[in-house]
Amino acid sequence: MKVLVVDRFSELADEFQAFCKKSDLKIFRDLEIDYAKDTNIFRMQTFEEYVQKMEDEGPEWTTPDEEVLNKIKDADVLLIQWGAISSKVIDAAENLKVIVTIRSGYENINIEYAKNRGIKVSFAPSRLAEVVADMTVALALSECRGIVRRNLIATKGEWVEEKYNDASHAAISNLVVGIVGYGGIARTVAKRFTKGFGSRVIAYEKITSPSILKEDSVEQVELPELLKTADIITMHARLCPETKHMIGADEFAMMKKNAIFINTARAGLVDERALIRALDSGQIRGAGLDVYEKEPLPYDSPLLKMDNVTLMPHSAGITNDILKNSLKIIVTEIERFLNGEPLKFQV
């Protein structure tokens, strides 16, 4: 059984190889593992440009590397991260049975084409849950307490003691947290606030079973009620045609004046122009953002001139241990495949 790893760097292949060598399971130790370099990212000006184009258009605009086309011919399993898997790549695969990505998204795979070829596709939906939850809480704390704007480096040593004169300058335990969407990352965020801070948490969710929210001590509400009630509103919905710009001018108008808006999910969930107007006019108190309509964030963005935002460079999911953590999730999927069992995270 051959596994081909396609990525811009060899670290994923090296980590998977090391795992297989140490595994107690013979099915992993017996795998033939090969690596092929995907250079599509290096043909773009920045990694962010590549990611944005991939999320907007999928992989069909990419040019397959000859090494990828040659090595995929006899591969049974394809393991990737940001490797571009277009129809041309899939056509070159003669034995491919499953594509496994360590990402929580799969925009870089032509899903429908793979399915039409009878190739299964699996992903790691909650691989970023812990680290993104950490960043979400950090942004909320920063905005509630003015950590970025009031720290002595930012004020050049001036001892700024004024307090925000609204309800969000408070202990997190006294604030209502509203979560939009309730998948794996959202559940982890909710636990941070309910168990860590003792906050009341409400959520707007259309897919996840109500029993799961109840188990997590989270109230399920409709979106208008959440927007009107929550002091901190954090986005964790999956981006799709139905959720694109689900938060716009009308939704910001429903929020409290002291509302703090957090987005560590996808920029497309929010009408960025409406968000900028809401922040500029004081319609909402502030925002903590890690994702933007255009990345890197343009130097002329109005957000960079505001004093009621905390802005991060799309780094919520970037930590030194993310590759190892992702592999922990996805090797269980590969094990299921090797044992002939149904995949748990099949697209």
Side-chain angles (χ1 to χ4, degrees):
M1 188 76 71
K2 178 179 175 180
V3 178
L4 177 64
V5 183
V6 174
D7 200 18
R8 56 178 174 155
F9 301 121
S10 65
E11 281 83 354
L12 176 57
D14 296 339
E15 287 287 347
F16 185 63
Q17 182 88 57
F19 166 82
C20 290
K21 285 182 178 179
K22 296 177 182 177
S23 177
D24 294 331
L25 300 176
K26 188 173 184 298
I27 54 173
F28 279 111
R29 296 196 304 272
D30 289 346
L31 288 176
E32 176 190 349
I33 302 170
D34 201 357
Y35 166 70
K37 188 181 185 70
D38 185 319
T39 64
N40 280 285
I41 290 177
F42 303 111
R43 299 171 205 158
M44 309 293 284
Q45 289 188 340
T46 64
F47 175 67
E48 290 79 10
E49 182 183 357
Y50 174 86
V51 170
Q52 186 140 19
K53 188 173 177 65
M54 190 66 77
E55 290 184 346
D56 291 341
E57 301 179 23
E60 290 303 309
W61 58 273
T62 59
T63 303
D65 292 88
E66 285 301 319
E67 182 185 20
V68 173
L69 296 178
N70 290 331
K71 290 187 174 182
I72 201 173
K73 287 181 181 179
D74 59 346
D76 300 282
V77 179
L78 181 60
L79 176 60
I80 64 169
Q81 183 170 214
W82 271 109
I85 311 304
S86 65
S87 58
K88 292 180 181 178
V89 174
I90 294 170
D91 280 339
E94 298 175 3
N95 298 321
L96 192 62
K97 302 171 184 65
V98 61
I99 300 170
V100 181
T101 174
I102 67 167
R103 295 185 58 240
S104 54
Y106 36 81
E107 299 88 351
N108 52 316
I109 306 169
N110 190 326
I111 298 293
E112 292 307 315
Y113 200 83
K115 287 181 177 179
N116 290 337
R117 282 279 308 274
I119 299 169
K120 298 176 181 178
V121 180
S122 182
F123 68 121
S126 299
R127 74 165 186 144
L128 302 177
E130 296 294 333
V131 295
V132 174
D134 289 347
M135 181 66 78
T136 299
V137 173
L139 289 172
L141 284 168
S142 177
E143 278 306 304
C144 285
R145 306 297 296 275
I147 293 172
V148 170
R149 291 181 294 284
R150 295 175 65 203
N151 80 82
L152 294 174
I153 300 297
T155 64
K156 295 181 171 54
E158 183 181 351
W159 201 269
V160 180
E161 293 185 351
E162 74 269 12
K163 296 179 175 64
Y164 295 123
N165 188 27
D166 63 31
S168 289
H169 188 76
I172 299 292
S173 60
N174 291 329
L175 301 180
V176 178
V177 178
I179 300 178
V180 179
Y182 206 75
I185 293 176
R187 288 194 76 182
T188 309
V189 170
K191 289 174 183 176
R192 296 281 194 280
F193 283 110
T194 56
K195 296 184 178 180
F197 294 100
S199 304
R200 176 191 172 198
V201 177
I202 59 178
Y204 168 67
E205 169 59 39
K206 289 295 186 183
I207 300 174
T208 303
S209 169
S211 63
I212 291 178
L213 281 82
K214 186 176 181 180
E215 178 185 330
D216 294 345
S217 301
V218 174
E219 296 176 48
Q220 188 169 9
V221 299
E222 292 300 316
L223 185 58
E225 182 180 349
L226 183 148
L227 298 175
K228 294 173 183 177
T229 305
D231 301 293
I232 299 170
I233 297 168
T234 177
M235 302 298 297
H236 298 286
R238 178 168 287 280
L239 180 60
C240 60
E242 292 74 25
T243 60
K244 183 175 176 62
H245 286 188
M246 66 182 298
I247 304 297
D250 292 343
E251 286 72 28
F252 285 116
M254 295 183 195
M255 297 180 190
K256 294 179 176 181
K257 289 290 185 182
N258 67 290
I260 291 170
F261 183 78
I262 309 294
N263 191 4
T264 55
R266 295 298 181 90
L269 297 169
V270 184
D271 181 340
E272 192 169 283
R273 292 183 180 180
L275 170 60
I276 289 170
R277 288 195 296 269
L279 289 164
D280 188 50
S281 66
Q283 191 170 47
I284 63 173
R285 147 84 117 73
L289 307 175
D290 188 52
V291 290
Y292 311 92
E293 190 176 86
K294 291 183 180 180
E295 295 183 1
L297 188 63
Y299 288 116
D300 61 353
S301 170
L303 290 168
L304 292 171
K305 300 178 177 64
M306 293 182 173
D307 64 357
N308 57 342
V309 293
T310 301
L311 307 176
M312 294 298 293
H314 202 153
S315 56
I318 302 174
T319 59
N320 289 338
D321 58 353
I322 194 63
L323 193 59
K324 285 184 171 61
N325 292 340
S326 301
L327 274 175
K328 287 178 184 177
I329 296 172
I330 215 62
V331 292
T332 60
E333 281 291 85
I334 296 176
E335 183 180 349
R336 291 185 187 100
F337 165 74
L338 295 175
N339 287 327
E341 300 171 2
L343 299 176
K344 184 178 181 180
F345 302 122
Q346 186 171 340
V347 179

